[in-house]
Amino acid sequence: ACEDDKIEYELREVQKENLEAALHAANDDPSIHGIIIYYPVFGAEPSFYGGCMDDYLRDSISPTKDVEGLCHTYRSNLYRNVRYMDEAKTQKCVLPCTPLSVVKLLESQGEYDMSKPNGNRLAGKIITVVNRSEVVGRPLAALLANDGATVYSVDIDSIYVMQRGRMVRTEKSQEDACFESDVIVLGVPSKAYKLNPKWISPNTMIVNVASFKNVDEDELKKIDNVKYVPLVGKMTVAMLERNLLRLYENFHVGATGTESVGGTGSKGGTGRALVDPLYSSPTMFWSLMTCVACTVVSSLTTVYLASRR
């Protein structure tokens, strides 16, 4: 996908004990515009600095290069509904790729009311998210709540109601939450989990973000006017590239001496040259991965190329 879109992608493999130093070197390298670490690396192993080592590495990626949008700066801004990095509101925050892909899918299917003010376009919608992981379920629920929805956040042992800035435990059952919902997002990383189709109302949109099918597709066909998205991997790769371009525009244009920062626009105004970094920049999209991640690169590329046709 990166090669097809003229983005220079480099896979660097390092021993995990050298990963921290390699990450800091990448943060300091002006020729690198985006960084991914493929997890898990250390799993639950503790860090010298507190917490677990994988979390420490995630928070050590510079906000100017974090294409996944999962470092502390972007997570904190997401949950506090801070949408810009600067007071002038010229630099939009980067958002986590998979949750962002779900948002874009909901926009494309008319779930967002674009006639309403930004930040309130899901007002009146009820959405259930089955998964509360720190990578997908929790940030997705927060994004949807910050856009005005009432969100039921479902996990193994609890259900919370999330509204903008609020998260309150509820005794409502998963069945009731799903039956009330306009949208149900499924992200359970287990082939054993299947959503009971009797819990789905007509006219509901179902989005499966898990690598396993969390719903019986044949049963869905028996429910009136159900919209179903079976996977979001293709969109996630597209959002990864989108985040890279946002980082490039926010922090890197002109930094390497090869991109144009000023100039005269087509209407005679002066300012940043209107170049499309997707096709004209020497952007390097750099990934820190351990050896076990090698097969991921080609599979992601194949998926995204298929989505572009």
Side-chain angles (χ1 to χ4, degrees), residues 161-218:
V161 179
M162 296 180 67
Q163 295 173 313
R164 190 178 289 119
R166 298 178 66 249
M167 184 173 180
V168 180
R169 188 159 185 160
T170 177
E171 297 304 317
K172 188 182 293 288
S173 67
Q174 184 179 344
E175 176 182 358
D176 290 341
C178 289
F179 201 76
E180 290 180 14
S181 294
D182 302 287
V183 178
I184 301 173
V185 182
L186 302 170
V188 181
S190 169
K191 62 182 179 181
Y193 176 85
K194 295 287 185 182
L195 180 69
N196 189 332
K198 295 180 180 179
W199 299 353
I200 303 171
S201 298
N203 306 306
T204 302
M205 183 172 180
I206 309 293
V207 182
N208 190 92
V209 302
S211 55
F212 300 99
K213 294 294 176 65
N214 286 166
V215 67
D216 188 322
E217 296 176 349
D218 291 331

Side-chain angles (χ1 to χ4, degrees), residues 17-299:
E17 59 268 20
N18 300 324
L19 185 53
E20 181 183 358
L23 172 58
H24 290 309
N27 279 338
D28 294 336
D29 187 339
S31 70
I32 293 171
H33 304 125
I35 297 171
I36 300 173
I37 297 175
Y38 187 74
Y39 302 100
V41 180
F42 294 91
E45 289 183 33
S47 166
F48 176 86
Y49 309 98
C52 73
M53 191 62 184
D54 280 2
D55 286 347
Y56 166 73
L57 291 170
R58 186 177 291 115
D59 287 339
S60 296
I61 299 175
S62 169
T64 67
K65 301 185 180 186
D66 180 16
V67 291
E68 290 192 289
L70 290 171
C71 70
H72 179 267
T73 296
Y74 290 127
R75 290 201 319 274
S76 176
N77 285 351
L78 185 158
Y79 290 121
R80 293 183 296 115
N81 202 19
V82 175
R83 302 190 178 213
Y84 292 88
M85 293 290 285
D86 60 335
E87 292 185 5
K89 296 185 177 181
T90 62
Q91 298 177 335
K92 287 186 176 180
C93 290
V94 168
L95 297 171
C97 301
T98 301
L100 180 59
S101 70
V102 175
V103 168
K104 294 303 178 183
L105 285 167
L106 297 185
E107 286 181 352
S108 73
Q109 295 302 308
E111 297 296 337
Y112 275 71
D113 185 346
M114 305 308 284
S115 69
K116 293 180 178 178
N118 190 26
N120 207 39
R121 291 172 176 168
L122 285 177
K125 294 285 185 179
I126 298 176
I127 301 176
T128 292
V129 178
V130 186
N131 171 291
R132 203 181 302 130
S133 72
E134 297 298 329
V135 176
V136 178
R138 188 188 294 268
L140 173 59
L143 278 175
L144 300 173
N146 285 340
D147 280 337
T150 296
V151 182
Y152 291 113
S153 174
V154 178
D155 212 56
I156 294 173
D157 58 355
S158 60
I159 300 178
Y160 284 83
V161 179
M162 296 180 67
Q163 295 173 313
R164 190 178 289 119
R166 298 178 66 249
M167 184 173 180
V168 180
R169 188 159 185 160
T170 177
E171 297 304 317
K172 188 182 293 288
S173 67
Q174 184 179 344
E175 176 182 358
D176 290 341
C178 289
F179 201 76
E180 290 180 14
S181 294
D182 302 287
V183 178
I184 301 173
V185 182
L186 302 170
V188 181
S190 169
K191 62 182 179 181
Y193 176 85
K194 295 287 185 182
L195 180 69
N196 189 332
K198 295 180 180 179
W199 299 353
I200 303 171
S201 298
N203 306 306
T204 302
M205 183 172 180
I206 309 293
V207 182
N208 190 92
V209 302
S211 55
F212 300 99
K213 294 294 176 65
N214 286 166
V215 67
D216 188 322
E217 296 176 349
D218 291 331
E219 291 297 319
L220 283 182
K221 297 174 184 177
K222 302 175 184 179
I223 306 171
D224 291 339
N225 300 319
V226 166
K227 295 179 183 178
Y228 176 53
V229 180
L231 49 83
V232 298
K234 302 172 184 180
M235 278 290 291
T236 298
V237 175
M239 293 303 100
L240 199 67
E241 291 192 343
R242 178 184 186 271
N243 281 351
L244 176 61
L245 300 187
R246 176 145 291 163
L247 292 172
Y248 179 81
E249 292 176 345
N250 282 353
F251 304 112
H252 300 288
V253 173
T256 63
T258 54
E259 297 88 0
S260 177
V261 180
T264 303
S266 60
K267 295 184 180 180
T270 59
R272 179 184 294 183
L274 299 178
V275 296
D276 184 353
L278 184 58
Y279 295 104
S280 59
S281 79
T283 301
M284 178 182 290
F285 183 33
W286 189 65
S287 175
L288 282 169
M289 297 186 181
T290 54
C291 294
V292 295
C294 294
T295 57
V296 174
V297 181
S298 60
S299 65

